[in-house]
Amino acid sequence: MSSAPLDLRLLSSFLAVVEEGHFGRAAARLFLSPPAVTQHVRRLETELGTLLVDRRTNPVSPTPAGVRLAGHARVLLAASNAALDDMAEAVRPGAGGAGRPLRVGIMGHGSAELTPAAINAYRRARPEVRVEIRQLDFTEHVTALTEDRVDVAFVRPGPDDERVVADVLTTEQRIVVVPERSPLAAAGQTGATLADVAALPFFRVPGHTPRPFTDYLYFGEEGRRRSTDYAVTPQEVLTGVITGRAAGSGLRSFARYYAWPGAAFVPIIDAPWESSHLAVRADEDNPEVHIFRALAVALARELGAAISGDTRPL
């Protein structure tokens, strides 16, 4: 296999073929001739020493090596496009912002393993930019961005605010968190239903918590029974759970990050799956934010389903 750098033009043609499932449609998408796209894919296969697409299928499908390369291609092309945007910003008259850190807000565990993957990818791509990590509580679902405390935010669910735009990163099954001694804990990984959790004493959140977040916490039923305990962080939720004073809800990956002794994590089999998002300001003009967003979205396309455990049929 060649050790020369990968040609982004070849990667672009290859990825278009994979996504379109057809050499002709890929050529039309790229404004190239079909022979040119075919040549690009063949050159890439020669350089890598392996077949990347199975031409016998209809539509054309990637080989196992092609599937693996497609994920890398998305990340590399996203980074390339973001770099071009950054340079366009750099040469714009009056452009500034040198030395400004990128402030990354994370609510709870963010988008599970995708959160550190995106941050590390950005740090590798932009080692000269300082990254500041800021932990967000439940009430900062939107305000951390709109009040300019962070530049990007890993949140859930998607904000309902015209000042903010958000990209879906992961989509996961919902869970409830209860004490191990709770009768509901016996459901284990078999799961429970929304009816089973109707009487749980869910923790309270402050009145200024955004409505989309409270809808998420209480499975869309604002009138659910409430504990007397308030919580604005996962740690406060878990403290209430293991002391038997409250119950919590979250995404399935919550159990991987907060496996506290005394807490049980029970899937809710009939609750709609919920997504984590990367949110930014709608009028954001900081090129570093666009670079981070492009990398996170590209990684989500490559890793998101695996992290989510989403095996539902399309």
Side-chain angles (χ1 to χ4, degrees):
M1 184 177 76
S2 171
S3 59
L6 291 174
D7 188 326
L8 294 181
R9 295 174 305 163
L10 307 187
L11 284 177
S12 180
S13 290
F14 160 70
L15 190 58
V17 170
V18 169
E19 293 179 346
E20 297 292 340
H22 191 277
F23 280 86
R25 289 195 295 271
R29 168 173 146 181
L30 298 171
F31 300 100
L32 296 173
S33 68
V37 171
T38 299
Q39 184 184 39
H40 286 173
V41 174
R42 284 177 176 165
R43 280 180 55 192
L44 196 56
E45 290 175 327
T46 298
E47 289 183 9
L48 296 176
T50 186
L51 287 176
L52 298 172
V53 295
D54 187 344
R55 296 158 174 84
R56 300 168 300 174
T57 60
N58 186 17
V60 170
S61 61
T63 64
V67 170
R68 190 166 184 171
L69 180 63
H72 294 302
R74 290 187 181 100
V75 174
L76 290 170
L77 292 169
S80 173
N81 291 333
L84 292 174
D85 291 342
D86 178 44
M87 290 308 300
E89 174 69 16
V91 300
R92 180 175 60 82
R100 175 180 173 179
L102 183 76
R103 300 164 300 170
V104 179
I106 305 174
M107 179 181 286
H109 67 296
S111 296
E113 290 84 353
L114 193 59
T115 303
I119 293 170
N120 290 334
Y122 176 80
R123 280 176 165 153
R124 288 191 295 269
R126 303 290 288 166
E128 70 277 16
V129 179
R130 183 163 51 93
V131 176
E132 294 182 355
I133 307 298
R134 303 191 179 183
Q135 202 67 40
L136 306 181
D137 67 38
F138 301 154
T139 69
E140 296 178 289
H141 185 236
V142 170
T143 56
L145 284 166
T146 59
E147 296 176 4
D148 196 27
R149 293 193 295 275
V150 300
D151 301 304
V152 300
F154 290 90
V155 300
R156 60 188 180 279
D160 182 17
D161 191 303
E162 63 183 10
R163 297 170 296 176
V164 173
V165 295
D167 301 292
V168 172
L169 297 185
T170 62
T171 301
E172 300 183 55
Q173 188 177 33
R174 296 299 307 279
I175 63 166
V176 292
V177 192
V178 295
E180 284 185 340
R181 61 184 177 276
S182 166
L184 197 62
Q189 292 306 301
T190 302
T193 67
L194 286 169
D196 294 330
V197 304
L200 289 179
F202 284 93
F203 64 88
R204 296 177 181 269
V205 290
H208 61 282
T209 304
R211 178 62 182 267
F213 192 78
T214 59
D215 284 346
Y216 157 80
L217 286 179
Y218 305 128
F219 297 98
E221 294 189 19
E222 189 66 24
R224 285 193 183 278
R225 180 185 170 197
R226 308 289 178 83
S227 164
T228 57
D229 280 26
Y230 280 82
V232 294
T233 67
Q235 291 78 12
E236 289 175 349
V237 171
L238 287 161
T239 298
V241 168
I242 62 176
T243 56
R245 299 195 308 273
S249 71
L251 303 178
R252 187 153 193 161
S253 58
F254 190 94
R256 298 200 297 272
Y257 283 79
Y258 300 104
W260 282 26
F265 304 87
V266 182
I268 305 302
I269 58 178
D270 59 346
W273 287 38
E274 187 56 79
S275 298
S276 70
H277 294 72
L278 181 74
V280 303
R281 285 179 287 272
D283 60 354
E284 183 60 69
D285 62 0
N286 180 354
E288 298 303 328
V289 171
H290 300 305
I291 293 172
F292 188 96
R293 183 181 180 188
L295 289 170
V297 170
L299 282 168
R301 293 186 66 179
E302 180 184 3
L303 305 174
I307 290 172
S308 302
D310 191 349
T311 57
R312 296 171 298 167
L314 298 175

